[in-house]
Amino acid sequence: MKARHSALCVEEAEEVVKELRAALAKAGISLPSLGLDPVSLAREAPCPLVELGRCSVETARRIAAAVVR
């Protein structure tokens, strides 16, 4: 049961990363290091975190502008 729950958590996190990448692309924003945090996946019962990664000042401005809309 625990393994199935962990698998569902990972699947959900992967889907959210795809959705976020697509939404950012529509706004003309790319976060190359967007993905799942490998440390959170290494736990016995993974409950992944989404790693947004680092970005340039210009990209941060574009994200802020997109969020405000």
Side-chain angles (χ1 to χ4, degrees):
M1 182 72 167
K2 201 177 223 183
R4 181 68 186 140
H5 175 74
S6 293
L8 288 173
C9 286
V10 172
E11 289 173 19
E12 180 181 20
E14 288 171 338
E15 185 60 33
V16 168
V17 167
K18 288 178 189 175
E19 291 172 19
L20 180 55
R21 185 174 281 119
L24 288 168
K26 283 184 178 183
I29 300 168
S30 174
L31 293 176
S33 52
L34 176 64
L36 299 183
D37 172 52
V39 175
S40 64
L41 289 170
R43 295 174 34 187
E44 184 177 327
C47 188
L49 298 173
V50 175
E51 177 68 49
L52 300 176
R54 300 181 311 199
C55 65
S56 69
V57 171
E58 179 58 30
T59 300
R61 279 193 181 113
R62 294 174 86 180
I63 293 169
V67 169
V68 170
R69 287 186 219 159

